[in-house]
Amino acid sequence: MKIFLDTADLDEIRRAADANLIDGITTNPSLVAKVAGKRDPKEIYLEICEAVDGPVSLEVVGLDRDTMVSEGKKLAAIHENAVVKVPLTEDGLKACRALVSAGTPVNVTLCFSVSQALLAAKAGATFVSPFVGRIDDVSGEGMQLIHQIRQVYDNYGFDTQILAASIRHPMHVVESMLMGSDCCTIPPKVLWQLSKHPLTDRGLEAFLSDWEGLGAKI
Ligand code: E4P
């Protein structure tokens, strides 16, 4: 399963990229607003693309097909690894088809149902992003959606990649893997939580204390 980092924070991106732990990045307008200040987001997008060797999702903000296609072309021109993110609306699906036909990879975002995921695949999406955490937030079962999309895509041989999004905690990542998601986009905090286990800390403490008793060096 590919791991993407869900952030526009360059320090966090470099930290994870330096450890060779990520396969790409996803951003959205809210994540960019958190870090941009007065900077032009396009500058930030270029820096992100240069920091990571893998797909970087950059989102359009237009609402109609033609504006999305025009914005998508500009975003795709920023870097060869750019993936254009469009919302799962009627116009977003039309823009997806137009961009994919022109050779631009597309991530269809804000997916909350199997029927939406079906249309994203029919529109030729490279990735579809089901928002697991936001479904859980309204008392739904986000992981069930990943499971069902996997089943539908496998039943009919769709090659759109499932990109589990809106990940809130480590078990969302683990369950995404168990459900057969192709990718999972993870906030930096959750990425580092994945490495933590109290028994690892306790075991290390005991090893070091026993070694200290030897008074030896390696
Ligand atoms: C997906 O690409 C989105 O950027 C993201 O996962 C949304 O997550 P949130 O629900 O935590 O905002």
Side-chain angles (χ1 to χ4, degrees), residues 133-160:
R134 292 194 195 185
I135 293 176
D136 289 356
D137 288 346
V138 293
S139 307
E141 285 192 45
M143 275 305 150
Q144 191 58 14
L145 177 59
I146 302 288
H147 174 65
Q148 290 175 343
I149 297 173
R150 177 77 284 153
Q151 197 171 333
V152 168
Y153 281 10
D154 288 351
N155 284 350
Y156 296 99
F158 289 120
D159 57 10
T160 298

Side-chain angles (χ1 to χ4, degrees), residues 6 26-28 31 85 109 129 131 134 165-168 185:
D6 196 23
T26 55
T27 65
N28 64 40
L31 292 171
K85 214 172 175 189
T109 190
S129 293
F131 275 36
R134 292 194 195 185
S166 188
I167 294 295
R168 299 283 159 75
T185 188

Side-chain angles (χ1 to χ4, degrees), residues 91-164:
D91 280 78
L93 292 169
K94 290 176 184 165
C96 172
R97 173 53 72 197
L99 288 162
V100 167
S101 299
T104 301
V106 174
N107 175 356
V108 179
T109 190
L110 290 168
C111 173
F112 294 94
S113 73
V114 183
S115 55
Q116 288 182 311
L118 167 66
L119 293 188
K122 294 295 278 183
T126 317
F127 301 99
V128 65
S129 293
F131 275 36
V132 173
R134 292 194 195 185
I135 293 176
D136 289 356
D137 288 346
V138 293
S139 307
E141 285 192 45
M143 275 305 150
Q144 191 58 14
L145 177 59
I146 302 288
H147 174 65
Q148 290 175 343
I149 297 173
R150 177 77 284 153
Q151 197 171 333
V152 168
Y153 281 10
D154 288 351
N155 284 350
Y156 296 99
F158 289 120
D159 57 10
T160 298
Q161 295 179 55
I162 303 171
L163 200 176

